[in-house]
Amino acid sequence: AEELLHRATITGSPGALQRLAHWLSRQPGRESEVEQVYRDAAAAGDPFALPGLVYWLSQQPGREGEAEQVYRDA
């Protein structure tokens, strides 16, 4: 599944980065990858990436302040 999502991001599939981030978020120990992929999706122009990042950050213990800052920056 991860390989297919990576291929979709390479081919420019809309929303593929966000789907990859969501999939990674369900894999233990991959938190830094999740955050980076959401940020990459936002930088690529995905309008749903920042809300996805905010939601994900708000679910991480102790990262609520970061979630608020992402909202403010957006």
Short mmCIF file of all heavy atoms in Angstrom, two decimals:
data_model
loop_
_atom_site.label_atom_id
_atom_site.label_comp_id
_atom_site.label_asym_id
_atom_site.label_seq_id
_atom_site.Cartn_x
_atom_site.Cartn_y
_atom_site.Cartn_z
N ALA A 1 0.83 -1.20 0.00
CA ALA A 1 0.00 0.00 0.00
C ALA A 1 0.87 1.25 0.00
O ALA A 1 0.61 2.20 -0.72
CB ALA A 1 -0.93 0.00 1.21
N GLU A 2 1.92 1.23 0.82
CA GLU A 2 2.81 2.40 0.88
C GLU A 2 3.47 2.65 -0.47
O GLU A 2 3.54 3.79 -0.94
CB GLU A 2 3.86 2.21 1.96
CG GLU A 2 4.76 3.41 2.13
CD GLU A 2 5.76 3.25 3.26
OE1 GLU A 2 5.76 2.20 3.94
OE2 GLU A 2 6.52 4.19 3.47
N GLU A 3 3.92 1.60 -1.11
CA GLU A 3 4.58 1.74 -2.42
C GLU A 3 3.63 2.33 -3.45
O GLU A 3 4.00 3.21 -4.23
CB GLU A 3 5.10 0.39 -2.90
CG GLU A 3 5.76 0.44 -4.26
CD GLU A 3 7.00 1.32 -4.31
OE1 GLU A 3 7.71 1.44 -3.30
OE2 GLU A 3 7.26 1.90 -5.38
N LEU A 4 2.39 1.89 -3.46
CA LEU A 4 1.41 2.43 -4.41
C LEU A 4 1.13 3.90 -4.14
O LEU A 4 1.00 4.70 -5.08
CB LEU A 4 0.12 1.62 -4.35
CG LEU A 4 0.21 0.21 -4.91
CD1 LEU A 4 -1.09 -0.54 -4.64
CD2 LEU A 4 0.51 0.23 -6.39
N LEU A 5 1.06 4.28 -2.88
CA LEU A 5 0.84 5.69 -2.56
C LEU A 5 2.03 6.54 -2.97
O LEU A 5 1.88 7.63 -3.49
CB LEU A 5 0.55 5.85 -1.07
CG LEU A 5 -0.84 5.42 -0.65
CD1 LEU A 5 -0.95 5.33 0.88
CD2 LEU A 5 -1.89 6.37 -1.19
N HIS A 6 3.25 6.01 -2.76
CA HIS A 6 4.44 6.74 -3.20
C HIS A 6 4.44 6.91 -4.72
O HIS A 6 4.76 7.98 -5.23
CB HIS A 6 5.72 6.02 -2.76
CG HIS A 6 6.11 6.35 -1.36
ND1 HIS A 6 6.63 7.56 -0.97
CD2 HIS A 6 6.07 5.60 -0.23
CE1 HIS A 6 6.89 7.55 0.31
NE2 HIS A 6 6.55 6.37 0.79
N ARG A 7 4.07 5.88 -5.44
CA ARG A 7 3.99 5.98 -6.90
C ARG A 7 2.97 7.02 -7.33
O ARG A 7 3.19 7.78 -8.27
CB ARG A 7 3.61 4.63 -7.51
CG ARG A 7 4.73 3.64 -7.51
CD ARG A 7 4.31 2.40 -8.23
NE ARG A 7 5.17 1.28 -7.92
CZ ARG A 7 4.97 0.06 -8.32
NH1 ARG A 7 3.91 -0.23 -9.07
NH2 ARG A 7 5.81 -0.90 -8.01
N ALA A 8 1.84 7.07 -6.64
CA ALA A 8 0.81 8.05 -6.97
C ALA A 8 1.32 9.47 -6.75
O ALA A 8 1.00 10.37 -7.52
CB ALA A 8 -0.45 7.80 -6.14
N THR A 9 2.13 9.68 -5.71
CA THR A 9 2.66 11.02 -5.47
C THR A 9 3.63 11.41 -6.57
O THR A 9 3.65 12.56 -7.01
CB THR A 9 3.37 11.14 -4.11
OG1 THR A 9 4.50 10.31 -4.07
CG2 THR A 9 2.43 10.80 -2.97
N ILE A 10 4.40 10.46 -7.06
CA ILE A 10 5.37 10.74 -8.13
C ILE A 10 4.66 11.09 -9.43
O ILE A 10 5.11 11.97 -10.17
CB ILE A 10 6.32 9.54 -8.31
CG1 ILE A 10 7.22 9.40 -7.08
CG2 ILE A 10 7.16 9.68 -9.57
CD1 ILE A 10 7.99 8.10 -7.03
N THR A 11 3.56 10.43 -9.70
CA THR A 11 2.84 10.68 -10.95
C THR A 11 1.95 11.92 -10.87
O THR A 11 1.31 12.28 -11.85
CB THR A 11 1.99 9.47 -11.37
OG1 THR A 11 1.02 9.23 -10.36
CG2 THR A 11 2.84 8.24 -11.59
N GLY A 12 1.91 12.55 -9.69
CA GLY A 12 1.14 13.78 -9.55
C GLY A 12 -0.34 13.59 -9.27
O GLY A 12 -1.14 14.47 -9.53
N SER A 13 -0.69 12.46 -8.73
CA SER A 13 -2.09 12.21 -8.40
C SER A 13 -2.57 13.21 -7.35
O SER A 13 -1.96 13.34 -6.30
CB SER A 13 -2.25 10.79 -7.86
OG SER A 13 -3.56 10.56 -7.42
N PRO A 14 -3.65 13.94 -7.65
CA PRO A 14 -4.16 14.91 -6.68
C PRO A 14 -4.53 14.25 -5.36
O PRO A 14 -5.20 13.23 -5.34
CB PRO A 14 -5.40 15.49 -7.36
CG PRO A 14 -5.26 15.16 -8.79
CD PRO A 14 -4.46 13.89 -8.86
N GLY A 15 -4.06 14.81 -4.28
CA GLY A 15 -4.39 14.29 -2.96
C GLY A 15 -3.58 13.09 -2.53
O GLY A 15 -3.77 12.59 -1.43
N ALA A 16 -2.67 12.61 -3.36
CA ALA A 16 -1.92 11.40 -3.01
C ALA A 16 -1.04 11.62 -1.79
O ALA A 16 -0.94 10.72 -0.94
CB ALA A 16 -1.07 10.94 -4.20
N LEU A 17 -0.43 12.78 -1.67
CA LEU A 17 0.41 13.03 -0.50
C LEU A 17 -0.41 13.00 0.78
O LEU A 17 0.01 12.44 1.79
CB LEU A 17 1.13 14.37 -0.63
CG LEU A 17 2.34 14.40 -1.55
CD1 LEU A 17 2.84 15.83 -1.73
CD2 LEU A 17 3.46 13.52 -1.01
N GLN A 18 -1.59 13.60 0.73
CA GLN A 18 -2.42 13.60 1.92
C GLN A 18 -2.88 12.18 2.27
O GLN A 18 -2.93 11.80 3.43
CB GLN A 18 -3.62 14.52 1.75
CG GLN A 18 -4.31 14.72 3.07
CD GLN A 18 -5.43 15.71 2.99
OE1 GLN A 18 -6.25 15.69 3.87
NE2 GLN A 18 -5.52 16.56 2.00
N ARG A 19 -3.21 11.40 1.26
CA ARG A 19 -3.60 10.00 1.52
C ARG A 19 -2.42 9.23 2.10
O ARG A 19 -2.59 8.39 2.98
CB ARG A 19 -4.13 9.36 0.25
CG ARG A 19 -5.54 9.85 -0.09
CD ARG A 19 -6.20 9.03 -1.17
NE ARG A 19 -5.51 9.07 -2.44
CZ ARG A 19 -5.64 10.03 -3.35
NH1 ARG A 19 -6.44 11.06 -3.13
NH2 ARG A 19 -4.98 9.98 -4.49
N LEU A 20 -1.20 9.52 1.60
CA LEU A 20 -0.01 8.86 2.14
C LEU A 20 0.17 9.25 3.61
O LEU A 20 0.45 8.40 4.45
CB LEU A 20 1.22 9.23 1.32
CG LEU A 20 2.56 8.71 1.84
CD1 LEU A 20 2.58 7.18 1.91
CD2 LEU A 20 3.70 9.22 0.96
N ALA A 21 0.02 10.53 3.92
CA ALA A 21 0.16 10.98 5.31
C ALA A 21 -0.85 10.28 6.20
O ALA A 21 -0.52 9.83 7.30
CB ALA A 21 -0.01 12.49 5.39
N HIS A 22 -2.09 10.19 5.73
CA HIS A 22 -3.12 9.51 6.52
C HIS A 22 -2.76 8.05 6.75
O HIS A 22 -2.89 7.54 7.86
CB HIS A 22 -4.48 9.64 5.83
CG HIS A 22 -5.59 9.00 6.58
ND1 HIS A 22 -6.12 9.55 7.71
CD2 HIS A 22 -6.25 7.85 6.36
CE1 HIS A 22 -7.06 8.75 8.17
NE2 HIS A 22 -7.16 7.71 7.36
N TRP A 23 -2.28 7.38 5.71
CA TRP A 23 -1.89 5.98 5.85
C TRP A 23 -0.73 5.85 6.83
O TRP A 23 -0.75 4.98 7.71
CB TRP A 23 -1.53 5.40 4.48
CG TRP A 23 -1.23 3.94 4.55
CD1 TRP A 23 -2.13 2.93 4.50
CD2 TRP A 23 0.06 3.34 4.71
NE1 TRP A 23 -1.48 1.72 4.61
CE2 TRP A 23 -0.13 1.95 4.74
CE3 TRP A 23 1.35 3.83 4.81
CZ2 TRP A 23 0.92 1.05 4.88
CZ3 TRP A 23 2.40 2.95 4.96
CH2 TRP A 23 2.18 1.57 4.99
N LEU A 24 0.27 6.71 6.68
CA LEU A 24 1.43 6.67 7.59
C LEU A 24 1.01 6.92 9.03
O LEU A 24 1.61 6.35 9.95
CB LEU A 24 2.48 7.70 7.17
CG LEU A 24 3.28 7.39 5.91
CD1 LEU A 24 4.10 8.61 5.50
CD2 LEU A 24 4.18 6.18 6.11
N SER A 25 0.00 7.76 9.23
CA SER A 25 -0.42 8.08 10.59
C SER A 25 -0.94 6.86 11.34
O SER A 25 -0.99 6.86 12.57
CB SER A 25 -1.48 9.19 10.59
OG SER A 25 -2.71 8.71 10.12
N ARG A 26 -1.30 5.84 10.62
CA ARG A 26 -1.78 4.61 11.24
C ARG A 26 -0.66 3.60 11.48
O ARG A 26 -0.93 2.51 11.99
CB ARG A 26 -2.88 3.99 10.39
CG ARG A 26 -4.09 4.88 10.29
CD ARG A 26 -5.09 4.32 9.30
NE ARG A 26 -6.20 5.23 9.13
CZ ARG A 26 -7.36 5.09 9.76
NH1 ARG A 26 -7.56 4.11 10.57
NH2 ARG A 26 -8.32 5.97 9.54
N GLN A 27 0.57 3.97 11.11
CA GLN A 27 1.72 3.10 11.29
C GLN A 27 2.52 3.58 12.51
O GLN A 27 2.96 4.73 12.54
CB GLN A 27 2.62 3.11 10.05
CG GLN A 27 1.90 2.89 8.73
CD GLN A 27 1.05 1.64 8.71
OE1 GLN A 27 1.50 0.56 9.05
NE2 GLN A 27 -0.21 1.80 8.32
N PRO A 28 2.72 2.74 13.50
CA PRO A 28 3.43 3.16 14.71
C PRO A 28 4.86 3.63 14.41
O PRO A 28 5.55 3.06 13.56
CB PRO A 28 3.47 1.90 15.57
CG PRO A 28 2.45 0.97 14.99
CD PRO A 28 2.29 1.35 13.55
N GLY A 29 5.26 4.71 15.08
CA GLY A 29 6.63 5.18 14.99
C GLY A 29 6.98 6.00 13.76
O GLY A 29 8.15 6.26 13.50
N ARG A 30 5.99 6.42 13.00
CA ARG A 30 6.27 7.14 11.75
C ARG A 30 5.79 8.59 11.82
O ARG A 30 5.53 9.22 10.80
CB ARG A 30 5.63 6.40 10.59
CG ARG A 30 6.19 4.96 10.57
CD ARG A 30 6.10 4.21 9.36
NE ARG A 30 6.82 4.70 8.23
CZ ARG A 30 6.68 4.17 7.03
NH1 ARG A 30 5.89 3.15 6.85
NH2 ARG A 30 7.35 4.66 6.01
N GLU A 31 5.72 9.12 13.03
CA GLU A 31 5.17 10.45 13.25
C GLU A 31 5.91 11.54 12.48
O GLU A 31 5.28 12.44 11.91
CB GLU A 31 5.16 10.79 14.75
CG GLU A 31 4.18 9.96 15.56
CD GLU A 31 4.71 8.58 15.94
OE1 GLU A 31 5.91 8.28 15.68
OE2 GLU A 31 3.93 7.79 16.49
N SER A 32 7.24 11.49 12.46
CA SER A 32 7.98 12.54 11.75
C SER A 32 7.70 12.50 10.25
O SER A 32 7.61 13.54 9.59
CB SER A 32 9.48 12.44 12.02
OG SER A 32 10.00 11.23 11.55
N GLU A 33 7.51 11.31 9.71
CA GLU A 33 7.17 11.18 8.29
C GLU A 33 5.77 11.74 8.01
O GLU A 33 5.57 12.41 6.99
CB GLU A 33 7.21 9.72 7.85
CG GLU A 33 8.60 9.12 7.80
CD GLU A 33 8.53 7.65 7.48
OE1 GLU A 33 8.41 7.31 6.29
OE2 GLU A 33 8.59 6.84 8.43
N VAL A 34 4.84 11.46 8.90
CA VAL A 34 3.48 11.95 8.73
C VAL A 34 3.48 13.47 8.62
O VAL A 34 2.93 14.05 7.68
CB VAL A 34 2.57 11.52 9.90
CG1 VAL A 34 1.21 12.18 9.82
CG2 VAL A 34 2.43 10.01 9.94
N GLU A 35 4.13 14.10 9.58
CA GLU A 35 4.16 15.56 9.60
C GLU A 35 4.81 16.11 8.33
O GLU A 35 4.30 17.05 7.72
CB GLU A 35 4.92 16.06 10.83
CG GLU A 35 4.92 17.56 10.94
CD GLU A 35 5.51 18.05 12.24
OE1 GLU A 35 5.87 17.25 13.13
OE2 GLU A 35 5.61 19.28 12.36
N GLN A 36 5.92 15.52 7.91
CA GLN A 36 6.61 16.02 6.72
C GLN A 36 5.77 15.85 5.47
O GLN A 36 5.73 16.74 4.62
CB GLN A 36 7.97 15.32 6.54
CG GLN A 36 8.80 15.92 5.43
CD GLN A 36 9.07 17.40 5.66
OE1 GLN A 36 9.57 17.78 6.70
NE2 GLN A 36 8.71 18.24 4.70
N VAL A 37 5.08 14.73 5.34
CA VAL A 37 4.27 14.51 4.15
C VAL A 37 3.10 15.49 4.12
O VAL A 37 2.78 16.05 3.05
CB VAL A 37 3.79 13.04 4.06
CG1 VAL A 37 2.78 12.86 2.94
CG2 VAL A 37 4.97 12.11 3.85
N TYR A 38 2.47 15.75 5.26
CA TYR A 38 1.41 16.77 5.28
C TYR A 38 1.97 18.13 4.86
O TYR A 38 1.35 18.86 4.08
CB TYR A 38 0.78 16.89 6.67
CG TYR A 38 -0.38 15.97 6.92
CD1 TYR A 38 -0.38 15.09 7.99
CD2 TYR A 38 -1.51 16.00 6.10
CE1 TYR A 38 -1.46 14.25 8.24
CE2 TYR A 38 -2.59 15.15 6.33
CZ TYR A 38 -2.56 14.29 7.40
OH TYR A 38 -3.63 13.45 7.64
N ARG A 39 3.14 18.48 5.36
CA ARG A 39 3.76 19.77 5.00
C ARG A 39 4.12 19.81 3.51
O ARG A 39 3.95 20.84 2.86
CB ARG A 39 4.95 20.06 5.89
CG ARG A 39 4.55 20.32 7.34
CD ARG A 39 5.71 20.74 8.21
NE ARG A 39 5.32 20.89 9.58
CZ ARG A 39 4.70 21.95 10.11
NH1 ARG A 39 4.41 22.97 9.33
NH2 ARG A 39 4.39 21.99 11.38
N ASP A 40 4.61 18.70 2.99
CA ASP A 40 4.92 18.63 1.56
C ASP A 40 3.65 18.80 0.72
O ASP A 40 3.66 19.47 -0.31
CB ASP A 40 5.58 17.29 1.21
CG ASP A 40 7.00 17.16 1.76
OD1 ASP A 40 7.58 18.18 2.22
OD2 ASP A 40 7.52 16.03 1.74
N ALA A 41 2.57 18.18 1.16
CA ALA A 41 1.30 18.30 0.44
C ALA A 41 0.81 19.75 0.45
O ALA A 41 0.33 20.26 -0.56
CB ALA A 41 0.24 17.38 1.07
N ALA A 42 0.96 20.42 1.59
CA ALA A 42 0.55 21.82 1.67
C ALA A 42 1.41 22.67 0.73
O ALA A 42 0.89 23.53 0.01
CB ALA A 42 0.67 22.32 3.10
N ALA A 43 2.71 22.41 0.72
CA ALA A 43 3.61 23.16 -0.16
C ALA A 43 3.31 22.91 -1.63
O ALA A 43 3.51 23.79 -2.47
CB ALA A 43 5.06 22.79 0.15
N ALA A 44 2.77 21.73 -1.93
CA ALA A 44 2.42 21.39 -3.31
C ALA A 44 1.07 21.97 -3.71
O ALA A 44 0.64 21.82 -4.85
CB ALA A 44 2.41 19.88 -3.50
N GLY A 45 0.40 22.63 -2.77
CA GLY A 45 -0.87 23.29 -3.10
C GLY A 45 -2.13 22.52 -2.75
O GLY A 45 -3.21 22.93 -3.15
N ASP A 46 -2.01 21.42 -2.03
CA ASP A 46 -3.21 20.67 -1.64
C ASP A 46 -3.97 21.49 -0.59
O ASP A 46 -3.46 21.70 0.52
CB ASP A 46 -2.80 19.31 -1.07
CG ASP A 46 -3.98 18.43 -0.70
OD1 ASP A 46 -5.08 18.96 -0.44
OD2 ASP A 46 -3.80 17.21 -0.66
N PRO A 47 -5.17 21.96 -0.91
CA PRO A 47 -5.90 22.82 0.03
C PRO A 47 -6.39 22.10 1.29
O PRO A 47 -6.77 22.74 2.26
CB PRO A 47 -7.09 23.31 -0.80
CG PRO A 47 -7.30 22.26 -1.82
CD PRO A 47 -5.92 21.72 -2.14
N PHE A 48 -6.35 20.79 1.29
CA PHE A 48 -6.82 20.03 2.45
C PHE A 48 -5.68 19.56 3.35
O PHE A 48 -5.91 18.98 4.40
CB PHE A 48 -7.64 18.82 1.99
CG PHE A 48 -8.81 19.20 1.15
CD1 PHE A 48 -8.79 18.99 -0.22
CD2 PHE A 48 -9.91 19.83 1.71
CE1 PHE A 48 -9.86 19.37 -1.01
CE2 PHE A 48 -10.99 20.21 0.92
CZ PHE A 48 -10.96 19.99 -0.44
N ALA A 49 -4.44 19.83 2.94
CA ALA A 49 -3.29 19.33 3.69
C ALA A 49 -3.14 20.01 5.05
O ALA A 49 -2.89 19.34 6.05
CB ALA A 49 -2.02 19.48 2.88
N LEU A 50 -3.27 21.34 5.09
CA LEU A 50 -3.12 22.02 6.38
C LEU A 50 -4.20 21.62 7.37
O LEU A 50 -3.89 21.35 8.54
CB LEU A 50 -3.05 23.53 6.20
CG LEU A 50 -1.73 24.06 5.65
CD1 LEU A 50 -1.78 25.57 5.50
CD2 LEU A 50 -0.56 23.64 6.51
N PRO A 51 -5.47 21.55 6.97
CA PRO A 51 -6.46 21.05 7.93
C PRO A 51 -6.14 19.61 8.39
O PRO A 51 -6.35 19.28 9.56
CB PRO A 51 -7.78 21.10 7.16
CG PRO A 51 -7.57 22.18 6.15
CD PRO A 51 -6.12 22.06 5.76
N GLY A 52 -5.63 18.79 7.48
CA GLY A 52 -5.24 17.44 7.87
C GLY A 52 -4.10 17.45 8.87
O GLY A 52 -4.10 16.70 9.85
N LEU A 53 -3.12 18.32 8.64
CA LEU A 53 -1.99 18.45 9.57
C LEU A 53 -2.47 18.94 10.93
O LEU A 53 -2.06 18.41 11.96
CB LEU A 53 -0.94 19.39 8.99
CG LEU A 53 0.24 19.72 9.91
CD1 LEU A 53 1.01 18.46 10.30
CD2 LEU A 53 1.16 20.74 9.25
N VAL A 54 -3.35 19.94 10.92
CA VAL A 54 -3.86 20.47 12.19
C VAL A 54 -4.59 19.38 12.96
O VAL A 54 -4.38 19.21 14.17
CB VAL A 54 -4.78 21.68 11.94
CG1 VAL A 54 -5.55 22.05 13.20
CG2 VAL A 54 -3.96 22.86 11.44
N TYR A 55 -5.44 18.64 12.28
CA TYR A 55 -6.17 17.56 12.95
C TYR A 55 -5.19 16.55 13.52
O TYR A 55 -5.30 16.14 14.68
CB TYR A 55 -7.16 16.89 12.01
CG TYR A 55 -7.85 15.73 12.66
CD1 TYR A 55 -8.89 15.95 13.56
CD2 TYR A 55 -7.43 14.43 12.43
CE1 TYR A 55 -9.51 14.88 14.20
CE2 TYR A 55 -8.03 13.36 13.07
CZ TYR A 55 -9.07 13.59 13.95
OH TYR A 55 -9.67 12.53 14.60
N TRP A 56 -4.22 16.14 12.70
CA TRP A 56 -3.26 15.14 13.16
C TRP A 56 -2.47 15.66 14.36
O TRP A 56 -2.32 14.94 15.35
CB TRP A 56 -2.32 14.74 12.01
CG TRP A 56 -1.33 13.72 12.44
CD1 TRP A 56 -1.54 12.38 12.57
CD2 TRP A 56 0.02 13.95 12.84
NE1 TRP A 56 -0.40 11.77 13.02
CE2 TRP A 56 0.57 12.72 13.19
CE3 TRP A 56 0.81 15.09 12.93
CZ2 TRP A 56 1.89 12.59 13.63
CZ3 TRP A 56 2.12 14.96 13.36
CH2 TRP A 56 2.64 13.72 13.71
N LEU A 57 -1.97 16.90 14.27
CA LEU A 57 -1.23 17.47 15.40
C LEU A 57 -2.08 17.53 16.66
O LEU A 57 -1.60 17.26 17.76
CB LEU A 57 -0.73 18.88 15.06
CG LEU A 57 0.47 18.97 14.12
CD1 LEU A 57 0.69 20.41 13.71
CD2 LEU A 57 1.73 18.39 14.77
N SER A 58 -3.35 17.89 16.51
CA SER A 58 -4.22 18.01 17.68
C SER A 58 -4.47 16.66 18.35
O SER A 58 -4.85 16.62 19.52
CB SER A 58 -5.54 18.67 17.31
OG SER A 58 -6.33 17.82 16.51
N GLN A 59 -4.24 15.58 17.64
CA GLN A 59 -4.42 14.23 18.20
C GLN A 59 -3.15 13.71 18.86
O GLN A 59 -3.18 12.65 19.51
CB GLN A 59 -4.87 13.26 17.10
CG GLN A 59 -6.16 13.64 16.42
CD GLN A 59 -7.31 13.75 17.40
OE1 GLN A 59 -7.59 12.81 18.14
NE2 GLN A 59 -7.96 14.89 17.43
N GLN A 60 -2.03 14.42 18.69
CA GLN A 60 -0.76 14.00 19.25
C GLN A 60 -0.59 14.62 20.64
O GLN A 60 -0.71 15.84 20.78
CB GLN A 60 0.42 14.42 18.36
CG GLN A 60 0.31 13.96 16.92
CD GLN A 60 0.07 12.47 16.80
OE1 GLN A 60 0.85 11.66 17.28
NE2 GLN A 60 -1.03 12.11 16.16
N PRO A 61 -0.33 13.80 21.65
CA PRO A 61 -0.20 14.34 23.01
C PRO A 61 0.86 15.45 23.08
O PRO A 61 1.98 15.29 22.59
CB PRO A 61 0.23 13.13 23.83
CG PRO A 61 -0.22 11.94 23.04
CD PRO A 61 -0.14 12.36 21.59
N GLY A 62 0.45 16.59 23.65
CA GLY A 62 1.37 17.69 23.86
C GLY A 62 1.63 18.58 22.66
O GLY A 62 2.47 19.47 22.72
N ARG A 63 0.93 18.36 21.55
CA ARG A 63 1.20 19.14 20.34
C ARG A 63 0.04 20.06 19.96
O ARG A 63 -0.01 20.59 18.86
CB ARG A 63 1.53 18.19 19.19
CG ARG A 63 2.80 17.38 19.50
CD ARG A 63 3.37 16.70 18.34
NE ARG A 63 4.03 17.66 17.46
CZ ARG A 63 4.57 17.32 16.30
NH1 ARG A 63 4.55 16.07 15.90
NH2 ARG A 63 5.14 18.22 15.53
N GLU A 64 -0.87 20.28 20.90
CA GLU A 64 -2.01 21.13 20.63
C GLU A 64 -1.59 22.56 20.27
O GLU A 64 -2.19 23.20 19.41
CB GLU A 64 -2.96 21.15 21.83
CG GLU A 64 -3.60 19.81 22.13
CD GLU A 64 -2.71 18.89 22.98
OE1 GLU A 64 -1.63 19.33 23.46
OE2 GLU A 64 -3.10 17.72 23.16
N GLY A 65 -0.55 23.07 20.94
CA GLY A 65 -0.06 24.41 20.64
C GLY A 65 0.47 24.53 19.22
O GLY A 65 0.26 25.56 18.56
N GLU A 66 1.12 23.48 18.75
CA GLU A 66 1.60 23.48 17.37
C GLU A 66 0.43 23.47 16.39
O GLU A 66 0.48 24.13 15.35
CB GLU A 66 2.49 22.27 17.11
CG GLU A 66 3.82 22.32 17.83
CD GLU A 66 4.59 21.03 17.64
OE1 GLU A 66 5.09 20.80 16.52
OE2 GLU A 66 4.67 20.25 18.61
N ALA A 67 -0.61 22.72 16.73
CA ALA A 67 -1.81 22.70 15.88
C ALA A 67 -2.40 24.10 15.78
O ALA A 67 -2.74 24.55 14.68
CB ALA A 67 -2.84 21.72 16.44
N GLU A 68 -2.49 24.79 16.91
CA GLU A 68 -3.01 26.15 16.89
C GLU A 68 -2.14 27.06 16.02
O GLU A 68 -2.65 27.88 15.26
CB GLU A 68 -3.08 26.71 18.30
CG GLU A 68 -3.63 28.12 18.34
CD GLU A 68 -3.68 28.69 19.75
OE1 GLU A 68 -3.46 27.95 20.74
OE2 GLU A 68 -3.95 29.89 19.87
N GLN A 69 -0.82 26.91 16.12
CA GLN A 69 0.08 27.76 15.34
C GLN A 69 -0.08 27.52 13.84
O GLN A 69 -0.04 28.45 13.05
CB GLN A 69 1.53 27.55 15.76
CG GLN A 69 2.48 28.55 15.16
CD GLN A 69 2.12 29.98 15.55
OE1 GLN A 69 1.95 30.27 16.73
NE2 GLN A 69 1.97 30.84 14.57
N VAL A 70 -0.28 26.27 13.44
CA VAL A 70 -0.51 25.97 12.02
C VAL A 70 -1.78 26.66 11.56
O VAL A 70 -1.81 27.25 10.48
CB VAL A 70 -0.56 24.45 11.76
CG1 VAL A 70 -1.00 24.15 10.34
CG2 VAL A 70 0.80 23.81 12.03
N TYR A 71 -2.83 26.61 12.38
CA TYR A 71 -4.07 27.34 12.04
C TYR A 71 -3.79 28.83 11.86
O TYR A 71 -4.22 29.44 10.89
CB TYR A 71 -5.11 27.19 13.15
CG TYR A 71 -6.11 26.08 12.96
CD1 TYR A 71 -6.42 25.23 13.98
CD2 TYR A 71 -6.79 25.92 11.75
CE1 TYR A 71 -7.35 24.21 13.84
CE2 TYR A 71 -7.71 24.90 11.59
CZ TYR A 71 -8.00 24.07 12.64
OH TYR A 71 -8.92 23.07 12.48
N ARG A 72 -3.04 29.40 12.78
CA ARG A 72 -2.76 30.83 12.72
C ARG A 72 -1.92 31.17 11.49
O ARG A 72 -2.15 32.18 10.84
CB ARG A 72 -2.07 31.30 13.99
CG ARG A 72 -3.00 31.28 15.19
CD ARG A 72 -2.29 31.77 16.46
NE ARG A 72 -3.14 31.65 17.60
CZ ARG A 72 -4.08 32.53 17.95
NH1 ARG A 72 -4.29 33.58 17.20
NH2 ARG A 72 -4.79 32.34 19.03
N ASP A 73 -0.95 30.34 11.19
CA ASP A 73 -0.09 30.59 10.01
C ASP A 73 -0.86 30.48 8.71
O ASP A 73 -0.57 31.19 7.75
CB ASP A 73 1.09 29.63 10.01
CG ASP A 73 2.08 29.88 11.13
OD1 ASP A 73 2.02 30.96 11.77
OD2 ASP A 73 2.91 28.99 11.38
N ALA A 74 -1.85 29.58 8.70
CA ALA A 74 -2.64 29.40 7.49
C ALA A 74 -3.52 30.60 7.26
O ALA A 74 -3.81 30.99 6.15
CB ALA A 74 -3.48 28.14 7.61
#
